[in-house]
Amino acid sequence: MKKDKKLLKNGKRIDGRGIGDLREMEAEAGVLERADGSGYFRMGDTEAIAAVFGPRELHPKHKQKPQRGILQCRYNLAPFSVEDRKRPGPSRRAKEIGKVAEGALSSTVFLEEFPTATIDVYMEVITADAGTRCVALNAGAIALADAGIPMKGIISACAAGKIEDTPVLDLKGEEDQGGQVDLPIAMNADTGEVTLLQMDGMTNIEEMDEMLELAIKGCEKVAKKQREALMKTF
Ligand code: CDP
């Protein structure tokens, strides 16, 4: 993107969105034949598919927990998902996102109901234009619910950010590259419990409050979309 390209003009963003608007969303449950549960989520030009397997016996056995199950997440950015082909295979970034996704999703699952078991969540980003960890998590949460895993509630994620000194919701690629802050969160929109919060960039407390307020409202809208997708499968 050219350095001098304006990201905000009269309160409108490059794709015509207002400051508090999410990108267009699409959600579907039960998209894969061979998984125990699956989900698809799209926000603008970022889309992900997730598959859940389990609960099933965890191998190797020495990793098993006698009192509770574990949840394992894999996040993968497909080589064809980005403009310059991404080198296949796990990167440090992918491993880190897998780990934070595990934390974000496992707090909502009743893992104590599955001693010695694992629930595996595979999240594949098939098109990337910023916000991939959030979109992957949204697909992953749909897949968990689709698999019938008992949960306290659905986890919903979206990012807020700052562009041209202005807090905005849900950055797209050019905004992410040319912007100042990216702040993804994941939460249970019913209970208000935040299960992931990360931030890139510099900000202050006032802006942080504004971004969090935008992101929380965004997660509530994501939750509605996820629920609609799940309701269609009944
Ligand atoms: O995707 P997310 O915002 O969760 O994470 P990020 O690390 O901040 O990446 C921002 C964006 O950079 C991604 O959504 C992709 O569009 C892009 N990216 C890329 O093109 N190639 C990579 N290897 C990693 C990220």
Side-chain angles (χ1 to χ4, degrees), residues 19 49 67-68 108 112 125 127-128 145 162 173 175 186 212 217 234:
I19 279 163
I49 289 183
Q67 311 296 345
R68 63 200 300 266
T108 195
E112 60 280 8
V125 176
T127 320
K162 182 168 77 159
E175 294 176 325
L212 282 174
K217 285 202 182 114
F234 288 110

Side-chain angles (χ1 to χ4, degrees), residues 75 77 82 86 93 97 128-134 176 182 200:
Y75 161 100
L77 199 61
V82 289
K86 187 203 145 269
R93 172 180 175 277
I97 296 177
D129 185 51
T132 60
R133 74 197 63 206
C134 295
D176 184 65
D182 184 28
D200 269 344

Side-chain angles (χ1 to χ4, degrees), residues 8-20:
L8 262 180
K9 225 177 184 175
N10 305 326
K12 290 275 178 216
R13 296 156 67 177
I14 43 176
D15 55 3
R17 278 184 296 155
I19 279 163

